[in-house]
Amino acid sequence: MFRYSQPPEVDEAAIPTTASTGADDAVTATTGGSDQTSHSIRDRLRFKRNPNQATSPTASTSGRGTKSREDRAPSSRSRWHHHHGTGGRRKSWFAFRGVYLFYLVIVFSVLAFAIASVLLQSSVTSVMFSTGWSEHRRSVGEGLRLGTTLKFVPGIRSRPLVEGQGLDQIRMQQVARLGLRAPRLAIILGNVKKNPQLLMLITIMKHLRILGYSLQIYAPKNSRAQSVLERTGGQISILPTDNYSHIDWSMFDGIIVDSLQGRESMSSLMQEPFCSIPVIWIIQEDALANRLPVYEEMGWTHLMTYWRSAFSRASVVVFPDFTLPMLYSVVDPGNFFVIPGSPVDVWAADIYRKTHDKHQLRMNNGFDKEDIVVLVVGSSFFYNELSWDYAVAMHTLGPLLAKYARRNDAEGSFKFVFLCGNSTDGDAIQEVASRLGLIHGSVRHYGLNGDVSSVLLMADIVLYGSSQDEQGFPSLIIRAMTFGIPVLTPEIPIMKKYVFDESHVLFFPKYDPEALMRTFSLLISDGSLSKLARTLSLSGRLYAKDMLASECVSGYAKLLENILSYPSDTLLPASVDRLQQITWEWSLFGEEIDGEAADSNIRVLSVVQNLETEVQDLVTSTNTSGISTEISEPDGLTKLDWDVLDEIESSEEFENVELEQFEERMDKHPGIWDEIYRNARKAEKLKFEANERDEGELERTGQPVCIYEIYSGAGAWPFLHHGSLYRGLSLSTKARRSRSDDVDAVARLPLLNDTYYRDILCELGGMFSIANKVDDIHKRPWIGFQSWRATGRKVSLSPKAEKVLEEKIQRETVGDVVYFWTRLDKDYEATASSAKLGFWSICDLLNAGHCRTTFENAFRQMYSLPSHLEGLPPMPEDGGHWSALHSWVMPTPSFLEFTMFSRMFVDSLDSLQANSGVACMFSSSEVEEKHCYCRIMELLVNVWAYHSGRKMVYIDPETGSFEEQHSIEERKGGVIWAKYMNLTLLKSMDEDLAEAADDGDLLRERWLWPLTGEVHWQGIYERERVERYRQKMDKKRKNREKLVERNRIGYKQKPLGRRRQLL
């Protein structure tokens, strides 16, 4: 029989090489063989779903040239039979006689078959496999040459996710890490339809919970799938799409957004203070990818810019296969990533098998019951002028076709079906079959633009003819295995990675026709499928059902470890190795699997189209409004025209000046007094500082207390209160609400202009700004503060509690009390161990285990305590509550005293940090490093209030009930360090620091204390008094000198009339 001696050779010199440059080169083209060449296709090559087939013959052949045909000659001399060496001189083509001419005809037939496959691929259009298939696989015709294939390479932002080691190094540490809570994840579902996308997400969520994550699920609306979501164990919140701005995303360590429909949530995640939260955006649809070529063709760059901006907000955009990121490459900001694995093909195959009968499909397509249908499939990518995949398949299948497709005997009738191209390309296949002498009807062709699932279901054997080293497991093979069809595939790495020989499929060496014939014969016995084929059919079906589930779940678990920052109080998730026998959660769906996937695709497409309509309407209105004011510049202006224009402008300017001078000389009526007053008031309202004392100030007149709500971005606006009791305090000038009397903390304390200090001080910086010249902004006996996060976490005061607190303050004016309503242990109620932990233990867990040591060192340095004295103030473990989130109210003099203590303590803390040699002493993650002092300063008010002898009262934020904590009676007997919190001592320390700052005697190069507030001591008061007296005396001296000078030389007014002299 025939024999193939070597694989086809590729003219590597004909393959141009383009170096990949920049972070955006995430998609490259590599050769199908061992040699590789790279071609960047991002923003240069467009995937064409319906390529133009009207290609001129000259253009199609010029690329190959004469050299290509000569290089093909050695391949043409490779025979399918045993041959002897051809010694002697080389004969010309016309010297062939007899048997040589016969050999030439055979070789010509094979070449004709390959050329026909070339022409076949020129019109290939990829189309969706009905439900669940990645619709419209696109072909690439420009920039690729023979023997090349596409390869997705992660961008510069997603590349560290591939190379990251996760938490392996932390887990290998000897000391086990403690924590108070599980890492929190928010899951934003674009839709809750029962489809394969939801099945994949539910499987991931279930195993993430097993690893130790806490999940909060947000769904747009209720549906039949809610019961399925509830079985995952996560908390579910059904919200409308316009309510995402009312969610405090800062509660979560990471956010997972599903599908393009989740874009509504991105608007809130793109605002401060939520910009730094890690976001994983999972894209499983290609609805937008289908529209991107239209955007390019129509010039809708604004839509492409919108999607690129939305994708750039995500820390990583994850796709389930390697084709989708290539389709989205024109909007790739460099963070595209692939985690292979999705049940979409298995889902679609199961639905199709339940609704279609195999024997009926074969009858409808003209196949007999006894026919053995062999389906030949190839790579997922097909190119306009490239047929490397099928050209190699034709050479490899030559002996197989010659043996089985040329006969029709008792051993069975074999039908070979090629699945590629369009349905109109079958004539080329039939022409090649007739030239090879194959039986009529033994070779057929079906296009990918038809019902591909029906072609797969009709087959008895599937032969994977591609020899390309693809990145992902072929979806066609997954469907074939799900249909229970035995598969033959060449030994390529991607196949050997997922399936095993003689267990799930049969392998054969690539480019080896004889090995293919031997392997194929194992599936045939007495004109029908052998026992081995039926065994492979059953085992392949069971294996394909959950084949990619393990890699998918472990991929997302590893991605979370690389992308999340686990704070100090967070328990680390378990290792992925703990997960065993990972399968898709088919049991949660039960018998509810239906065809809702198509409906979800329609919904995603509607989201894309709605956005197109909104943006286009906006652009159209903008262009329309600009048409009336647009003035086109005249063409061809001469020098005379410019001279005339200059003369006209000069004349107009002269007339305007004359008119202004004339109006200044004329008397004008000032107008009605009411109009003048009204205009003046309007002008004052335009200024924020004037507006601060306008309506809001009038509303707070007579109020005993004002609570300042501290926030740092526009994303916190929905969590702020409105009313006379509250007033906003913005840590950023740009983020302040426009129509409010919010206080600008940056204007009051220039230190907050420095982003570094604004981030490490957090809310405490806002308190320092209020305390700086407090009489200019706050003139009430009580003052309070509350972080915007208190509202987001549902621990702010209710209207009932607000009323009770105001009545309590007005009724009891005697005593120094600190009222607080946000408990430190609120977030850790679900943890049993948190109830047994004391104040300092919780502080250690919140600050990477360095709270006690650092607090003691800072306290010792602040008071210059000797080493033999204790430096850590004792805190009781009586089960009482402690304040958190800077949510408290106290008398204004007490607040100024606390500010005095806090300024000195944070300065001492900053000194230790500067000498530590590390980025942050209290951090175990990047987020904590950025806000270094925030957590320890959040708890400082408890130490000060307890040891200064203040009464600490907890207010229930819902009911308004009061409960005293750590009663003063229990603190007597030397338990508290009242001497260190004495006001006289604090004032003397403050004056010493102010004197040093005033004298320019800096304690260190970066001295924080003078920048945090007012610098005053007795010497400054004396110097100001002397300066005021000197200015007063200078003014008197100048006035006296002026009078003397006037009397000596000064002007004497002439009399208005002369008295008539009487003679």
Side-chain angles (χ1 to χ4, degrees), residues 1045-1057:
E1045 185 71 16
R1046 182 178 298 173
N1047 291 331
R1048 187 172 64 86
I1049 315 176
Y1051 171 78
K1052 294 183 179 180
Q1053 184 177 5
K1054 296 180 180 180
L1056 299 177

Side-chain angles (χ1 to χ4, degrees), residues 64 117-122 124 140-141 144-150 381-391 468:
R64 288 186 282 271
S117 64
V118 171
L119 299 176
L120 189 67
Q121 301 308 319
S122 63
V124 171
V140 180
L144 297 176
R145 293 297 183 265
L146 185 63
T148 62
T149 184
L150 292 180
F381 285 102
F382 307 100
Y383 314 122
N384 288 348
E385 300 177 359
L386 184 64
S387 62
W388 174 256
D389 227 19
Y390 274 88
Q468 298 180 12

Side-chain angles (χ1 to χ4, degrees), residues 672-841:
I672 304 175
W673 170 251
D674 293 340
E675 293 181 358
I676 297 175
Y677 177 76
R678 190 180 302 111
N679 293 334
R681 295 290 292 174
K682 286 181 180 179
E684 289 182 357
K685 289 181 180 180
L686 297 177
K687 299 180 181 180
F688 286 116
E689 294 300 326
N691 192 32
E692 285 181 2
R693 298 177 179 274
D694 199 2
E695 289 85 357
E697 188 70 20
L698 293 176
E699 290 178 359
R700 285 185 288 273
T701 301
Q703 294 268 354
V705 61
C706 177
I707 299 176
Y708 295 91
E709 287 191 295
I710 311 173
Y711 66 95
S712 58
W717 290 356
F719 304 98
L720 303 179
H721 289 79
H722 301 276
S724 59
L725 181 62
Y726 297 95
R727 188 176 187 181
L729 177 59
S730 176
L731 298 179
S732 174
T733 302
K734 297 180 180 180
R736 188 170 54 165
R737 292 178 294 180
S738 57
R739 296 184 179 181
S740 66
D741 63 338
D742 294 352
V743 180
D744 186 1
V746 179
R748 295 189 54 80
L749 189 66
L751 173 66
L752 299 181
N753 273 317
D754 191 333
T755 307
Y756 171 76
Y757 283 110
R758 182 168 69 239
D759 290 338
I760 65 172
L761 293 176
C762 299
E763 286 89 349
L764 190 66
M767 298 181 187
F768 288 164
S769 68
I770 296 295
N772 187 28
K773 300 179 181 179
V774 65
D775 293 336
D776 296 341
I777 193 72
H778 183 82
K779 299 180 180 180
R780 287 161 191 79
W782 290 76
I783 188 172
F785 291 89
Q786 176 176 270
S787 173
W788 67 269
R789 294 176 293 164
T791 305
R793 302 183 185 188
K794 313 299 182 184
V795 290
S796 60
L797 293 175
S798 64
K800 180 180 179 181
E802 294 172 359
K803 184 178 180 181
V804 173
L805 175 61
E806 291 185 73
E807 293 176 352
K808 183 79 171 179
I809 290 175
Q810 291 177 349
R811 184 171 62 253
E812 299 181 6
T813 57
V814 180
D816 204 344
V817 188
V818 177
Y819 297 99
F820 66 95
W821 52 89
T822 303
R823 307 196 321 259
L824 177 60
D825 57 348
K826 179 65 176 178
D827 289 342
Y828 316 119
E829 290 179 338
T831 308
S833 59
S834 63
K836 304 178 183 179
L837 298 176
F839 177 83
W840 291 119
S841 298

Side-chain angles (χ1 to χ4, degrees), residues 1004-1040:
R1004 53 187 174 276
E1005 182 179 357
R1006 191 181 67 175
W1007 191 13
L1008 180 60
W1009 183 86
L1011 306 176
T1012 55
E1014 296 180 89
V1015 178
H1016 286 297
W1017 68 290
Q1018 188 63 31
I1020 294 179
Y1021 294 143
E1022 292 294 333
R1023 186 167 63 249
E1024 290 179 351
R1025 184 179 63 81
V1026 171
E1027 181 65 21
R1028 287 194 299 269
Y1029 180 77
R1030 186 187 64 80
Q1031 292 177 357
K1032 179 180 178 181
M1033 299 306 296
D1034 287 347
K1035 185 177 181 181
K1036 287 183 177 181
R1037 179 178 55 80
K1038 291 179 180 180
N1039 290 336
R1040 188 164 50 251

Side-chain angles (χ1 to χ4, degrees), residues 156-457:
I156 190 172
R157 291 178 55 185
S158 56
R159 194 171 299 128
L161 304 177
V162 181
E163 304 170 354
Q165 299 298 324
L167 301 175
D168 296 338
Q169 295 182 354
I170 300 178
R171 294 192 182 101
M172 289 189 297
Q173 295 177 359
Q174 297 293 335
V175 181
R177 173 171 168 172
L178 301 177
L180 294 174
R181 63 175 180 85
R184 303 189 186 103
L185 293 178
I187 312 294
I188 303 176
L189 299 179
N191 64 79
V192 286
K193 294 293 183 179
K194 292 178 290 184
N195 51 29
Q197 289 80 9
L198 183 62
L199 174 60
M200 185 195 79
L201 203 59
I202 286 178
T203 303
I204 295 172
M205 289 190 294
K206 179 181 178 181
H207 289 88
L208 289 180
R209 290 191 67 254
I210 296 175
L211 293 178
Y213 290 92
S214 175
L215 307 180
Q216 175 66 52
I217 303 172
Y218 293 97
K221 63 180 181 179
N222 200 350
S223 73
R224 292 182 297 166
Q226 183 177 357
S227 60
V228 179
L229 293 173
E230 292 174 351
R231 299 175 199 171
T232 62
Q235 300 179 3
I236 304 175
S237 298
I238 305 299
L239 297 174
T241 56
D242 58 346
N243 204 25
Y244 287 115
S245 60
H246 296 275
I247 301 174
D248 179 11
W249 301 113
S250 65
M251 295 188 301
F252 304 103
D253 301 301
I255 301 172
I256 298 178
V257 181
D258 174 53
S259 83
L260 293 171
Q261 291 179 276
R263 71 172 181 87
E264 290 86 357
S265 61
M266 285 297 170
S267 58
S268 60
L269 292 173
M270 295 175 72
Q271 296 177 330
E272 287 288 352
F274 307 130
C275 292
S276 59
I277 302 175
V279 176
I280 299 175
W281 197 349
I282 303 175
I283 305 296
Q284 304 186 63
E285 315 90 0
D286 62 350
L288 175 60
N290 298 339
R291 301 292 298 166
L292 291 178
V294 179
Y295 297 167
E296 287 186 300
E297 182 179 354
M298 301 295 295
W300 295 347
T301 57
H302 48 280
L303 282 170
M304 300 179 66
T305 302
Y306 170 85
W307 284 109
R308 188 180 292 109
S309 175
F311 286 147
S312 64
R313 167 57 188 94
S315 305
V316 59
V317 179
V318 183
F319 298 91
D321 61 62
F322 291 94
T323 60
L324 283 176
M326 299 182 191
L327 302 181
Y328 283 90
S329 61
V330 293
V331 291
D332 180 10
N335 61 349
F336 282 7
F337 189 67
V338 176
I339 298 181
S342 172
V344 59
D345 293 294
V346 180
W347 180 292
D350 282 340
I351 294 177
Y352 196 88
R353 186 175 54 186
K354 292 178 180 179
T355 56
H356 295 78
D357 181 68
K358 180 172 184 175
H359 298 290
Q360 186 63 39
L361 288 174
R362 291 167 66 100
M363 291 177 59
N364 295 340
N365 287 271
F367 293 106
D368 296 333
K369 184 177 182 181
E370 294 79 11
D371 290 341
I372 298 179
V373 180
V374 182
L375 178 62
V376 182
V377 298
S379 173
S380 301
F381 285 102
F382 307 100
Y383 314 122
N384 288 348
E385 300 177 359
L386 184 64
S387 62
W388 174 256
D389 227 19
Y390 274 88
V392 174
M394 294 299 183
H395 283 274
T396 307
L397 292 175
L400 191 67
L401 293 173
K403 179 178 179 180
Y404 291 98
R406 285 184 177 178
R407 65 183 185 181
N408 190 8
D409 49 23
E411 294 184 7
S413 176
F414 290 86
K415 307 293 184 182
F416 288 86
V417 177
F418 289 84
L419 181 60
C420 61
N422 291 325
S423 58
T424 59
D425 298 325
D427 295 339
I429 289 287
Q430 296 301 328
E431 182 179 355
V432 174
S434 62
R435 291 189 178 184
L436 291 177
L438 305 182
I439 299 176
H440 179 71
S442 60
V443 176
R444 296 192 184 183
H445 167 262
Y446 287 89
L448 289 174
N449 59 343
D451 189 356
V452 179
S453 294
S454 65
V455 180
L456 287 170
L457 186 57

